[in-house]
Amino acid sequence: MFTRLAAYEGRSATTGGTGKDPVNEPMIRHWCEAMGDTSAAYRGPDAVAPPTMLQAWTMGGLAGHTEHRSAAYDELLGLLDDHGYTSVVATDCEQEYLRPLRPGDRITFDTVIEGVSTRKTTKLGTGYFVTTRTDVHADAEPAATHRFRILKYRPDQGNRPKWSDHPDRPAQRRPAEEHPLRPRPVVNRDNVGFWEGVAAHRLLIQRCTDCGALRLPWLPGCNACGGAEWDTVEASGAGTVFSHVVMHHPPFPAFAPDGEGGPYAVALVELAEGVRIVSNVVGVHHDQVRVGMTVQLEFLVTDPELELPVFRVALGADSDVDHRASEEG
Ligand code: ZN
């Protein structure tokens, strides 16, 4: 298998691609507004484009760059699909800037399949890393290099608990085949303390020990002062619905109380401590969630391996709410 994959190394994925638009001030301004970047270098008569905006000039838009794309890259991905490596995740990108891009520059680019790894086992599953290198030219001068790496992998279902196999499964419960499990949270060294708190039925908020600012979700540093040191405070559990949406599409049975993927409410809850958390509101029908509702933290067992902090509408807090329409879980 690896020999067949390695044969694609060095083959062209895109030849003579052209940017949809020349480098231009409106796109630079929109990007700076979206990113909150107020640098003077990106304004005025001598403006350059933000270097990290590189891909904005080469992306194909919804239609893609089909006219310049070679078959090699699609063949490589198809070969991996055929062998069961059907999932894909972008893992990292590296960019090198050779000269600034300025309004008026016409962008061209060539992309080559730079490398295919040997088979690797990752937490997501077993698969192959595929790296492409795009050489970007501005008015025919080398301007930048963009390396993009994906993992094509076979999803690892082996570690996922199957409710249908669980000895405690009540007979009336829907089997897992009909009611899929919620995706597992991504637990890493920056947020492991949050999930340890959840396991102990405590909702822990990070507190910067330099300036006292509270933060949720957990981050490695303080957005207010840049401090790296922190401790935690436990949320009282009191909160209000700050904002919410009702999800209709795509249907996602794991999140829907009816197990059919029907509509469900996702809320941004403002805790009494002042920070906000994205969660579910339980205890009311999805179309009865309202901004300003008083809610109280509780922990929902979604399956034998997962508990999540959710927020229950306080009884009596909102007299127009029909609490009977409230089977969650
Ligand atoms: Zn701070």
Side-chain angles (χ1 to χ4, degrees):
M1 177 74 178
F2 176 68
T3 313
R4 289 181 67 190
L5 296 172
Y8 285 88
E9 287 186 348
R11 290 184 64 182
S12 171
T14 300
T15 307
T18 51
K20 295 258 171 181
D21 299 287
V23 177
N24 64 82
E25 290 174 61
M27 284 174 67
I28 293 172
R29 181 172 63 78
H30 292 154
W31 191 93
C32 288
E33 286 178 1
M35 300 300 287
D37 192 328
T38 56
S39 169
Y42 310 138
R43 288 174 293 170
D46 299 321
V48 297
T52 51
M53 200 182 162
L54 184 64
Q55 271 191 290
W57 312 117
T58 59
M59 287 172 114
L62 295 177
H65 275 296
T66 48
E67 69 275 24
H68 297 288
R69 194 160 158 161
S70 81
Y73 192 61
D74 292 334
E75 279 173 29
L76 171 59
L77 299 188
L79 180 61
L80 287 162
D81 282 336
D82 292 345
H83 286 78
Y85 304 98
T86 51
S87 293
V88 64
V89 61
T91 59
D92 61 293
C93 95
E94 288 168 42
Q95 295 183 337
E96 203 177 334
Y97 312 115
L98 307 174
R99 81 119 155 111
L101 299 180
R102 294 191 175 79
D105 282 339
R106 285 183 306 276
I107 300 298
T108 52
F109 59 94
D110 300 288
T111 301
V112 65
I113 300 167
E114 190 172 66
V116 184
S117 75
T118 52
R119 193 162 64 125
K120 304 288 185 190
T121 300
T122 74
K123 281 188 178 173
L124 288 173
T126 299
Y128 295 85
F129 290 93
V130 178
T131 306
T132 54
R133 189 191 75 240
T134 299
D135 294 311
V136 179
H137 290 74
D139 287 346
E141 291 175 38
T145 297
H146 172 69
R147 277 191 180 77
F148 190 70
R149 190 168 294 116
I150 60 168
L151 172 66
K152 270 293 268 179
Y153 66 99
R154 179 181 284 152
D156 182 5
Q157 299 287 350
N159 296 328
R160 184 166 289 190
K162 287 196 175 63
W163 179 244
S164 56
D165 298 337
H166 199 277
D168 297 336
R169 175 188 150 202
Q172 73 277 16
R173 179 83 188 227
R174 286 168 177 276
E177 300 76 45
E178 291 176 34
H179 197 166
L181 302 180
R182 291 198 188 203
R184 308 294 96 174
V186 175
V187 180
N188 56 40
R189 62 184 175 179
D190 291 328
N191 69 7
V192 63
F194 175 82
W195 292 105
E196 286 171 354
V198 169
H201 287 186
R202 303 173 71 210
L203 184 62
L204 297 178
I205 303 167
Q206 267 184 317
R207 176 173 58 190
C208 173
T209 49
D210 291 329
C211 76
L214 299 179
R215 59 183 193 261
L216 193 69
W218 284 34
L219 292 168
C222 175
N223 276 340
C225 77
E229 302 302 317
W230 52 271
D231 61 7
T232 59
V233 292
E234 182 176 354
S236 68
T240 53
V241 174
F242 183 81
S243 179
H244 68 95
V245 294
V246 175
M247 284 292 294
H248 291 267
H249 289 283
F252 204 151
F255 285 94
D258 65 3
E260 305 293 335
Y264 58 96
V266 179
L268 183 62
V269 172
E270 182 159 288
L271 301 179
E273 291 76 13
V275 291
R276 297 172 191 156
I277 181 172
V278 175
S279 182
N280 290 132
V281 171
V282 300
V284 286
H285 195 260
H286 62 80
D287 63 7
Q288 292 183 316
V289 176
R290 296 285 180 272
V291 169
M293 266 182 166
T294 304
V295 291
Q296 179 65 36
L297 172 70
E298 66 178 40
F299 291 88
L300 174 70
V301 179
T302 66
D303 61 65
E305 301 292 328
L306 186 63
E307 281 190 80
L308 293 173
V310 297
F311 290 84
R312 182 168 293 277
V313 172
L315 275 173
D318 301 273
S319 56
D320 60 332
V321 168
D322 177 4
H323 290 280
R324 291 166 301 176
S326 66
E327 284 313 306
E328 301 279 346

